[in-house]
Amino acid sequence: MLINDIQEGEYGLEGVMQWDLFDEEIEVSIDEDTDIAYAEKCAEALNNLPEETVREIWEAAKRYCLFFIDLCGEEWDEWNEMTIKVTKETPAEEIKSQIYPATLIVDTPEGEGIGYHLECNCSWEAEHGLEITILDNKLLYLGAYEGCGAWDNFDPNRVWNFANDIDRGI
């Protein structure tokens, strides 16, 4: 099993798993109406993300970071805690060092496929963090944590969804 130490929690089952991409143990939160077999499929999918999806995550996270830095303006330098300087020229994969995964969230599936979202912290937006939502290895949402499940409606023009590669003027 990929998910270990499974026990009853306040909203369903809880456990832990190793996320190989970050070589870190993260919490797993399984909705009360979801079975462990489905949660295991989500954990397996997470640990077997295609390189293309991983690249999309880094690119979207970089867009989120640059947008947030631009949004903060001059105040950014006062409370910036990043350990790297992110510019348009920064290779996207370097943003990985500024993301701190916390929880794999497995909601009750509302359709076919393997869908889940992740709650992460990031060094550029300590208050709202970072959320990554994936359905069948497709990045659907990356932005501030909003509890976006894999079967939510994702507007392709929504500026705060950095999985959308739209012009934000940054």
Side-chain angles (χ1 to χ4, degrees):
M1 290 189 78
L2 291 172
I3 304 172
N4 299 304
D5 300 328
I6 298 172
Q7 53 194 297
E8 203 58 45
E10 187 175 347
Y11 302 106
L13 296 175
E14 297 174 350
V16 296
M17 69 168 283
Q18 184 73 20
W19 188 4
D20 294 342
L21 181 63
F22 283 89
D23 193 27
E24 286 195 31
E25 186 175 83
I26 61 173
E27 295 178 6
V28 179
S29 176
I30 306 167
D31 187 72
E32 62 188 354
D33 296 325
T34 305
D35 63 31
I36 294 174
Y38 178 76
E40 281 285 327
K41 289 178 184 177
C42 292
E44 183 178 354
L46 177 62
N47 271 334
N48 291 293
L49 285 172
E51 287 182 33
E52 175 68 15
T53 307
V54 172
R55 186 190 59 72
E56 289 172 357
I57 290 169
W58 303 148
E59 292 288 341
K62 179 181 168 183
R63 285 191 293 272
Y64 178 22
C65 180
L66 288 172
F67 184 81
F68 191 77
I69 291 169
D70 187 60
L71 183 70
C72 293
E74 293 177 12
E75 295 176 11
W76 173 252
D77 291 332
E78 293 176 26
W79 48 270
N80 172 16
E81 294 185 15
M82 295 185 68
T83 58
I84 64 171
K85 182 174 178 66
V86 178
T87 67
K88 288 181 182 181
E89 290 75 34
T90 303
E93 61 272 6
E94 288 187 22
I95 202 76
K96 176 184 177 185
S97 68
Q98 304 304 297
I99 298 172
Y100 312 100
T103 307
L104 167 64
I105 302 165
V106 180
D107 296 323
T108 302
E110 296 177 21
E112 296 296 318
I114 303 298
Y116 51 89
H117 52 125
L118 295 132
E119 179 180 10
C120 303
N121 295 308
C122 59
S123 58
W124 64 88
E125 220 304 24
E127 185 176 350
H128 299 105
L130 172 76
E131 181 172 20
I132 303 167
T133 304
I134 296 173
L135 176 61
D136 290 335
N137 292 324
K138 180 175 177 9
L139 179 64
L140 300 176
Y141 176 83
L142 188 142
Y145 187 85
E146 294 186 15
C148 296
W151 286 272
D152 289 355
N153 186 15
F154 296 96
D155 179 350
N157 297 310
R158 186 162 179 251
V159 71
W160 284 100
N161 182 355
F162 296 91
N164 297 334
D165 188 12
I166 59 175
D167 183 17
R168 295 178 176 82
I170 51 173

